Amino acid sequence: MLLRAYTGMLARGARPNAYTFPPLLKAVAAEQGAVAPSVGDAVHAHVVKFGMELNAHVASSLVLMYAARGDGAMARALLDAWPARGGSTPVVWNALISGHKRNRQFRLSCCSFVDMVKAGAVPTPITYMTVLSACGKRNDILLGMQVHKCVVESGMLPDLKVENALVDMYAECGEMEAAWELFDGMQVRDMVSWTSVISGFVRLAQVDRAKALFDRMPDKDTVSWTAMIDGYVWTGRFTEALDIFREMQFTKVVADEFTMVSVVTACAQLGALETGEWARIYMSRHGIKMDTFVGNAFIDMYSKCGSIERALDVFKEMRIRDKFSWTAVILGLAVNGHGVEAIDMFYKMLRAFEAPDEVTFVGVLTACTHAGLVDKGRDFFLSMTGTYGVAPNVMHYGCIIDLLGRAGKLTEALETIGKMPMRPNCAIWGTLLAACRVHGNSEIGELAAENLLELDPENSMAYILLSNLYAKSNRWEDVRRLRQVIMEKGIKKEPGCSLIEMNGTIHEFVAGDRSHPMSKEIYSKLDKVLTDLKDAGYVPDVTEVFVQVTEEEKQRVLYWHSEKLALAFALLSSESGSTIRIVKNLRMCLDCHNAIKLISKLYMLEVVVRDRTRFHHFRHGLCSCKDYW
């Protein structure tokens, strides 16, 4: 806009002056990436042409522009050429420090401050605010404390903006005692002061302390509400994050793009599709733009809710995509069972000149696993370093072990583990053990279990999988021995928990729990469903129940698994024909998988279950996971 106005001014024969160039150069600096570097060079040429390079404000704007676009050498050369650089005028130094900070060159910003002090220039409040922000961003507490000392000695305090910068620097560096002491001693506070301390507690995962302070705030703006929502998201308290967002609506404070990323992320983790859809309507109603970050969050949310079609719609509508957009849609397709489409999307990503990263390859290898493309998966894994410059990490090895294990190539999987450049973790050995259970390989299975239990002696899943492996091989004496060890050690399975959203409210179910307000109706409905299942030939699979109780009691344990309770609640509460979506914290057991598959047939339902390892799309007696284990 300013550039067009400037060219129009020249076209009319008007001559620029010292007041023309600073806003023009600052506009160029603010739009780095949107305008070509040659535009800034052309404006610089006009500065020289019209003899304005010795004006302090013009010179500082030039320094700011070059530093902001990453040309630190040119920025410093201009500063060194400035006649008054050793004098008391700090404006050009401020521009250099600020420009480096804008370009996220926080180390150079801090170094420039040190050079400024050595040159004898007197820092201003703007100087201190900028360098303190840079110290916080690079976690340079030592320089930050030295700057704090300079501020005190300068006699500048009390100054609200500088005090806020000090509080924020200490909070960003995790020094909350110092931040709190400064905050507590401030004569005047504004929303920035409060939000800095709240954000500091959030970064240290002290969310309850942050919330207590947040509740005391006299006034709250979008930034402070977003900081609190972020805190709950970062600490995995997603339901509370959505509660805070709902509370925000009653205050009439309008969210922004940053708020919506956190809200949609919480919806993704909870599988709260209804709330996620409402968030999209909220954005439209309040004119919040769907930028790349928000778009990526929606792709992830729809994918994690099992609605990959809507994820693809968002992806197609995005005007600007980055590598995270491509990676999110590749992962979404992969985990929802569309392996071939995920690989095709990967090739489209390459044709769009986006470079894949570590997460992209997790998606690609996962796609190969679910599509059973062993050779393709091997090729991708081997090409990571040589072709794409991405070194495989433990997650990539976990994917390739899973791929080989599902294909029954257990010896090759074990050999691959032996070649790993890092120590195999529990996930690696657990994946191999699960594959051995499916394919009945006791020898490699025992080795995998031994290594897994060496890393995590209390891992209940290792005992369950090994017990099932023995049972499959008719080694009943080993089954009894193993279950005796389980009882003697007091090893307990992590309790299963399932979440389901109904009319915008998240309902949580724990296996065997009766705390839900509709508990009586839920168990009654479940009894009826189980009767229908048995009439259709359902026989409970008790192989994964490792408590020593009677066969009848084992069946009762299975009947009350959390996903069955959630499904019974959905049958009572949801509208006919609507898709039922459940999120489970653990891997779904084989009995629940078989039961829900049959329920979807008997009741003509579509059910989506997201467990710890994958998605299960049940529709009228069919399931997307052909090789479930």
Side-chain angles (χ1 to χ4, degrees):
M1 194 73 174
L2 280 175
L3 287 170
R4 283 200 297 271
Y6 177 68
T7 54
M9 182 186 82
L10 294 177
R12 290 191 298 272
R15 182 182 178 85
N17 57 30
Y19 297 100
T20 308
F21 289 109
L24 191 59
L25 288 163
K26 287 175 183 176
V28 174
E31 295 180 20
Q32 296 298 333
V35 296
S38 58
V39 175
D41 296 338
V43 177
H44 187 180
H46 277 227
V47 168
V48 176
K49 177 181 177 180
F50 291 104
M52 298 294 167
E53 68 271 25
L54 296 182
N55 179 278
H57 290 291
V58 175
S60 67
S61 299
L62 278 168
V63 169
L64 174 68
M65 180 194 73
Y66 280 110
R69 83 181 194 191
D71 193 347
M74 185 63 178
R76 188 57 191 257
L78 285 168
L79 183 141
D80 289 340
W82 172 243
R85 66 182 181 275
S88 59
T89 305
V91 63
V92 184
W93 283 104
N94 285 350
L96 183 64
I97 295 167
S98 179
H100 285 317
K101 179 176 168 289
R102 283 195 191 189
N103 194 43
R104 304 190 65 80
Q105 297 290 328
F106 305 121
R107 185 187 65 81
L108 291 177
S109 191
C110 293
C111 291
S112 297
F113 170 77
V114 174
D115 290 345
M116 175 185 182
V117 174
K118 289 179 180 177
V122 179
T124 66
I126 291 175
T127 315
Y128 287 128
M129 288 160 56
T130 309
V131 74
L132 284 167
S133 177
C135 289
K137 297 297 183 189
R138 71 185 304 255
N139 202 25
D140 192 342
I141 185 63
L142 293 179
L143 180 61
M145 292 171 71
Q146 291 172 358
V147 175
H148 186 182
K149 182 180 178 183
C150 292
V151 170
V152 173
E153 291 175 349
S154 71
M156 195 172 290
L157 300 178
D159 181 298
L160 179 59
K161 290 184 178 178
V162 175
E163 287 176 295
N164 282 345
L166 282 164
V167 170
D168 191 59
M169 182 275 295
Y170 281 115
E172 287 230 46
C173 292
E175 297 291 334
M176 286 311 298
E177 287 188 18
W180 179 260
E181 186 177 342
L182 279 167
F183 173 80
D184 201 39
M186 290 173 70
Q187 297 175 14
V188 178
R189 305 184 187 112
D190 61 8
M191 282 189 281
V192 175
S193 323
W194 288 86
T195 304
S196 292
V197 181
I198 288 168
S199 297
F201 285 132
V202 162
R203 276 189 287 271
L204 295 178
Q206 297 178 16
V207 183
D208 293 329
R209 193 170 178 186
K211 182 61 165 60
L213 191 63
F214 179 79
D215 289 339
R216 286 173 49 198
M217 278 185 77
D219 297 296
K220 304 177 180 74
D221 62 3
T222 303
V223 177
S224 53
W225 281 101
T226 301
M228 202 62 246
I229 294 168
D230 281 347
Y232 284 117
V233 171
W234 291 344
T235 52
R237 294 162 65 172
F238 305 112
T239 303
E240 289 164 280
L242 295 183
D243 289 341
I244 290 288
F245 181 58
R246 292 188 183 97
E247 186 181 331
M248 178 182 176
Q249 309 315 301
F250 291 110
T251 68
K252 306 302 182 185
V253 175
V254 178
D256 61 12
E257 292 84 358
F258 299 100
T259 320
M260 298 315 299
V261 168
S262 294
V263 169
V264 175
T265 299
C267 293
Q269 297 302 319
L270 293 169
L273 181 61
E274 291 177 36
T275 306
E277 293 281 31
W278 176 83
R280 202 167 173 184
I281 294 169
Y282 174 92
M283 287 178 61
S284 177
R285 187 181 301 153
H286 291 280
I288 303 171
K289 64 180 181 180
M290 178 80 80
D291 65 14
T292 306
F293 298 104
V294 179
N296 292 346
F298 269 104
I299 291 171
D300 183 58
M301 186 273 292
Y302 282 128
S303 298
K304 286 193 166 91
C305 290
S307 184
I308 192 62
E309 297 82 7
R310 276 177 270 194
L312 288 169
D313 288 341
V314 173
F315 179 77
K316 290 170 186 174
E317 292 167 6
M318 290 175 70
R319 294 173 58 194
I320 299 174
R321 302 170 185 147
D322 57 17
K323 71 176 178 181
F324 302 107
S325 316
W326 289 94
T327 297
V329 81
I330 288 167
L331 270 168
L333 285 164
V335 298
N336 279 280
H338 302 280
V340 174
E341 292 89 341
I343 293 168
D344 182 54
M345 191 63 72
F346 174 73
Y347 288 126
K348 288 180 180 177
M349 176 182 183
L350 297 180
R351 289 196 293 271
F353 302 103
E354 285 289 353
D357 62 9
E358 294 93 340
V359 183
T360 313
F361 277 104
V362 169
V364 171
L365 294 172
T366 300
C368 293
T369 298
H370 291 315
L373 302 173
V374 178
D375 293 336
K376 196 79 173 172
R378 276 201 207 97
D379 291 342
F380 277 126
F381 184 76
L382 295 173
S383 69
M384 284 177 62
T385 305
T387 305
Y388 302 101
V390 178
N393 60 33
V394 71
M395 287 188 69
H396 301 115
Y397 276 97
C399 290
I400 202 72
I401 299 304
D402 193 18
L403 173 68
L404 295 169
R406 288 176 187 269
K409 299 181 182 297
L410 302 176
T411 302
E412 184 180 349
L414 184 59
E415 290 171 353
T416 303
I417 293 174
K419 296 174 184 175
M420 286 176 63
M422 70 288 291
R423 188 183 181 188
N425 61 13
C426 291
I428 295 290
W429 290 114
T431 300
L432 181 60
L433 177 56
C436 290
R437 180 188 71 88
V438 171
H439 297 289
N441 191 318
S442 301
E443 183 181 353
I444 295 179
E446 287 177 328
L447 177 63
E450 181 183 335
N451 281 278
L452 177 53
L453 291 170
E454 183 180 328
L455 293 170
D456 183 6
E458 304 298 313
N459 191 306
S460 60
M461 190 52 63
Y463 289 101
I464 292 171
L465 290 172
L466 190 57
S467 175
N468 292 341
L469 176 58
Y470 286 149
K472 191 167 186 175
S473 304
N474 294 317
R475 294 170 57 176
W476 301 110
E477 187 57 41
D478 287 324
V479 171
R480 284 188 286 273
R481 176 184 56 79
L482 195 60
R483 296 194 175 190
Q484 185 62 38
V485 170
I486 292 169
M487 296 304 145
E488 289 174 356
K489 290 190 174 184
I491 294 168
K492 297 187 182 299
K493 184 182 176 185
E494 182 183 348
C497 171
S498 292
L499 304 177
I500 186 167
E501 183 187 30
M502 198 62 61
N503 301 320
T505 301
I506 304 297
H507 298 262
E508 182 175 343
F509 295 92
V510 177
D513 182 44
R514 293 180 180 268
S515 61
H516 193 277
M518 292 177 60
S519 184
K520 184 177 179 180
E521 296 93 328
I522 290 167
Y523 277 88
S524 176
K525 181 67 175 178
L526 185 55
D527 285 342
K528 183 181 184 309
V529 170
L530 290 169
T531 300
D532 291 342
L533 286 176
K534 290 174 183 176
D535 290 343
Y538 162 73
V539 177
D541 186 329
V542 299
T543 56
E544 295 185 44
V545 181
F546 67 95
V547 290
Q548 288 186 337
V549 292
T550 65
E551 197 74 12
E552 184 179 342
E553 288 172 322
K554 286 182 180 180
Q555 292 182 14
R556 192 175 300 117
V557 169
L558 289 173
Y559 295 158
W560 295 344
H561 274 189
S562 62
E563 54 267 59
K564 290 193 181 84
L565 293 173
L567 182 55
F569 170 69
L571 290 171
L572 286 169
S573 308
S574 61
E575 294 180 7
S576 176
S578 60
T579 301
I580 297 170
R581 302 175 192 276
I582 299 169
V583 176
K584 174 86 184 277
N585 66 327
L586 305 175
R587 168 189 166 275
M588 183 164 53
C589 75
L590 188 58
D591 178 74
C592 285
H593 180 275
N594 294 338
I596 294 174
K597 183 177 178 181
L598 185 53
I599 290 169
S600 74
K601 179 180 180 181
L602 295 177
Y603 291 80
M604 297 299 287
L605 295 173
E606 185 170 353
V607 183
V608 179
V609 180
R610 185 183 95 204
D611 70 10
R612 180 177 283 180
T613 60
R614 66 189 299 174
F615 275 87
H616 310 268
H617 292 259
F618 302 94
R619 182 179 173 82
H620 303 170
L622 300 175
C623 182
S624 60
C625 42
K626 305 177 185 67
D627 60 344
Y628 181 62
W629 43 293

